C-alpha cells in the first residue's frame, strides 16, 4: 500500500506524490489570513483505488494543525490494517474520525 500525507506547509504549489503520478493536489491559504493554513491532505492507495481525504484544521482553534494531521494519520492506520472489503472502507474511515475526535 502506498500512502502520502501532506500538511498545508508542504503544498503551497501543485504537488504530485512521486509514487502516485496520476494524483495532483494544491491548496493555498486565504489571502485575508495572517496565520498559517492548518489543513492537511491524505492520499491512500487501497485495493486498486485511492482514498482522498482533506482535514480542515479549524484555524484559530488550539492545535488545529496537529488535529488535521492526527486524523489523517489515524485514517491511514485504519485503512492499511484491513483487507479489501466488498463493503468498502467507509466504516473504517468514519471510525478513525470518531476515535480521533475522542482522543482530542
Amino acid at each position: 500500500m502506498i500512502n502520502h500525507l501532506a500538511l498545508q506547509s508542504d503544498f503551497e504549489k501543485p504537488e504530485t506524490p512521486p509514487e502516485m503520478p496520476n494524483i495532483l493536489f494544491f491548496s493555498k491559504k486565504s489571502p485575508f489570513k495572517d496565520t498559517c493554513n492548518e489543513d492537511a491532505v491524505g492520499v491512500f492507495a487501497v485495493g486498486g483505488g485511492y482514498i482522498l481525504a482533506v482535514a480542515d484544521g479549524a484555524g484559530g482553534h488550539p492545535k488545529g494543525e496537529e488535529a488535521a494531521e492526527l486524523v489523517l494519520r489515524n485514517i491511514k492506520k485504519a485503512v492499511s490494517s484491513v483487507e479489501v472489503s466488498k463493503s468498502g472502507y467507509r466504516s473504517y474511515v468514519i471510525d478513525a474520525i470518531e476515535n480521533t475526535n475522542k482522543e482530542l
Side-chain angles (χ1 to χ4, degrees), residues 1-6 15 17 19-20 22-25 40-46 49-54 72 76 79:
M1 178 181 295
I2 300 170
N3 297 292
H4 187 79
L5 175 68
E15 179 178 325
E19 66 275 12
M20 298 177 185
N22 53 340
I23 299 288
L24 175 70
F25 56 87
V41 64
V43 182
F44 313 109
V46 292
Y50 296 103
I51 293 175
L52 307 173
V54 176
L72 292 180
K76 175 182 174 180
V79 300

Side-chain angles (χ1 to χ4, degrees), residues 27-95:
S27 178
K28 188 149 183 75
K29 76 175 192 166
S30 168
F32 305 109
K33 286 180 59 176
D34 291 331
T35 58
C36 72
N37 189 346
E38 297 176 346
D39 300 344
V41 64
V43 182
F44 313 109
V46 292
Y50 296 103
I51 293 175
L52 307 173
V54 176
D56 185 332
H61 291 279
K63 301 190 178 196
E65 185 175 353
E66 292 173 31
E69 181 180 358
L70 181 61
V71 73
L72 292 180
R73 290 194 186 283
N74 286 342
I75 290 171
K76 175 182 174 180
K77 185 168 46 173
V79 300
S80 66
S81 64
V82 297
E83 295 294 320
V84 177
S85 168
K86 287 184 179 182
S87 62
Y89 294 91
R90 183 180 188 280
S91 63
Y92 299 102
V93 172
I94 299 286
D95 287 348

